[in-house]
Every structure is written in structure tokens, then in C-alpha cells.
């Protein structure tokens, strides 16, 4: 567990420093690369066509990786369903990662993006840094991230990134 914490702290500190080179990123390819690594047959991921944007590719990959792996990890359903979509919101891209998992309680909504906050740390393995890392990545890209409960009983993790036309 200590190795996981040290690894995540190192990642977190690198992301906080920011200032990395920006490049054109095909968000479809990022999601496809992550989907290819998921071997569990009970996971279904659907993704509407996503735009290209400018950003730090490794950070954006980590952002999607963390959100998708959390959607799988915090799910007690026989079939894990994840839907990724986006919409243009003025000068921002808004991406939504929706799942049918265990959801987020009212008491946790305000704290889950803070460092070392874990929901039921005795049941779910982790360091409590994954969503903090997501928050910093989104901040590095000029945006914000939040969570909403959905009608499936799960969670919608929504983030906005500045459009880079």
C-alpha cells in the first residue's frame, strides 16, 4: 500500500508542477487505447465521437484512465456500463463519463476530489489520490471537474477543458 501511495504522490507532484508541452490530442484514440487494456468481459464501454484538442497527452490519458478504472472499480453490478460523451459549451468542451456503479453519496460529493479521501477504504483498494490527480489535470487544462448522481444509480464525472481551435 505504501508503494501505491508513493507512486501516486510522485504522479500528483509532477502534475501539479504543470507547464508541460501541449500537443494535438485525438480523444477518441485516448479512449480506444484505454478500452484495449480492459480485459474484463463484464465491462461495456460506449463512446460517442469525441473531438481533438490541445493538451498534455499523458495527462489527458491519465484523466480518462482514472475515471474509467474508477467506474469499473466502484461498481457492484453484473454488467458494468460506462458511457462517454461530450458537448460544446461556449469556449469549453464538456466531457461526461457516466456509469451504473455505486454512485456517490451526498456526504462524499464535496470531498472526493480532495487528497487522500477514499470512499469505504476498507472495501475498495486505493490511495485516495486518483480523483485529486484528475482535478489537477483538468485545472492544468483550464477547466473544472465535478460529479453528479445519475438515474442509473451511478455517477457522472463531468469535466470541462478549454477548446483549442
Amino acid at each position: 500500500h505504501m508503494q501505491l501511495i508513493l507512486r501516486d504522490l510522485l504522479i500528483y507532484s509532477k502534475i501539479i508542477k504543470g507547464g508541460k508541452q501541449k500537443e494535438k490530442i485525438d480523444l477518441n484514440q485516448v479512449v480506444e487505447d484505454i478500452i484495449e487494456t480492459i480485459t474484463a468481459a463484464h465491462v461495456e464501454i460506449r463512446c460517442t465521437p469525441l473531438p481533438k484538442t490541445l493538451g498534455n497527452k499523458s495527462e489527458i490519458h491519465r484523466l480518462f484512465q482514472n475515471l474509467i478504472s474508477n467506474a469499473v472499480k466502484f461498481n457492484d453490478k453484473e454488467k458494468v456500463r460506462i458511457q462517454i460523451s461530450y458537448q460544446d459549451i461556449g469556449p469549453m468542451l464538456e466531457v461526461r463519463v457516466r456509469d451504473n456503479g455505486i454512485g456517490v453519496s451526498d456526504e462524499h460529493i464535496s470531498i472526493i476530489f480532495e487528497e487522500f479521501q477514499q470512499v469505504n477504504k476498507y472495501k475498495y483498494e486505493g490511495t485516495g489520490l486518483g480523483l485529486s490527480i484528475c482535478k489537477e489535470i483538468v485545472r492544468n487544462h483550464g477547466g473544472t471537474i465535478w460529479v453528479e448522481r445519475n438515474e442509473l444509480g451511478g455517477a457522472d464525472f463531468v469535466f470541462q477543458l478549454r477548446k483549442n481551435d
Side-chain angles (χ1 to χ4, degrees), residues 87-98:
Q87 62 182 349
D88 284 325
I89 307 287
M92 308 298 280
L93 298 173
E94 185 173 281
V95 179
R96 182 173 297 267
V97 179
R98 169 174 284 205

Side-chain angles (χ1 to χ4, degrees), residues 56 62 64 74 81 91 105 129:
N56 179 279
R62 180 163 304 280
F64 277 97
F74 294 102
R81 298 186 196 292
S105 68
L129 284 169

Side-chain angles (χ1 to χ4, degrees), residues 58-70:
S58 65
E59 286 186 6
I60 295 297
H61 186 276
R62 180 163 304 280
L63 170 64
F64 277 97
Q65 178 70 46
N66 284 1
L67 294 176
I68 291 169
S69 64
N70 277 358

Side-chain angles (χ1 to χ4, degrees), residues 17-163:
K17 288 179 185 176
K20 297 190 175 106
Q21 187 72 19
K22 303 237 188 247
E23 60 185 290
K24 193 161 201 137
I25 304 168
D26 181 348
L27 296 179
N28 295 297
Q29 189 61 54
V30 170
V31 172
E32 188 139 327
D33 290 347
I34 294 166
I35 289 172
E36 287 177 7
T37 67
I38 297 173
T39 57
H42 72 290
V43 177
E44 175 186 293
I45 300 174
R46 293 183 182 197
C47 186
T48 61
L50 300 172
K52 292 181 179 161
T53 190
L54 286 177
N56 179 279
K57 191 172 185 176
S58 65
E59 286 186 6
I60 295 297
H61 186 276
R62 180 163 304 280
L63 170 64
F64 277 97
Q65 178 70 46
N66 284 1
L67 294 176
I68 291 169
S69 64
N70 277 358
V72 173
K73 175 178 166 181
F74 294 102
N75 197 308
D76 57 1
K77 307 293 187 300
E78 192 172 306
K79 183 77 163 180
V80 174
R81 298 186 196 292
I82 302 166
Q83 173 68 43
I84 303 168
S85 60
Y86 100 99
Q87 62 182 349
D88 284 325
I89 307 287
M92 308 298 280
L93 298 173
E94 185 173 281
V95 179
R96 182 173 297 267
V97 179
R98 169 174 284 205
D99 67 56
N100 66 334
I102 64 170
V104 180
S105 68
D106 285 339
E107 66 187 85
H108 292 119
I109 280 180
S110 63
I111 65 167
I112 60 171
F113 293 102
E114 301 303 319
E115 297 86 354
F116 302 109
Q117 295 299 320
Q118 290 179 268
V119 176
N120 198 344
K121 61 184 171 184
Y122 302 108
K123 185 174 179 181
Y124 299 101
E125 192 176 306
T127 62
L129 284 169
L131 290 175
S132 299
I133 289 169
C134 290
K135 180 179 78 174
E136 291 303 322
I137 290 169
V138 171
R139 186 179 295 166
N140 285 351
H141 289 80
T144 56
I145 186 169
W146 65 92
V147 65
E148 301 169 354
R149 287 189 302 265
N150 66 43
E151 69 277 1
L152 304 172
D156 285 13
F157 283 86
V158 186
F159 61 91
Q160 292 182 342
L161 304 174
R162 262 183 300 175
K163 270 192 226 172

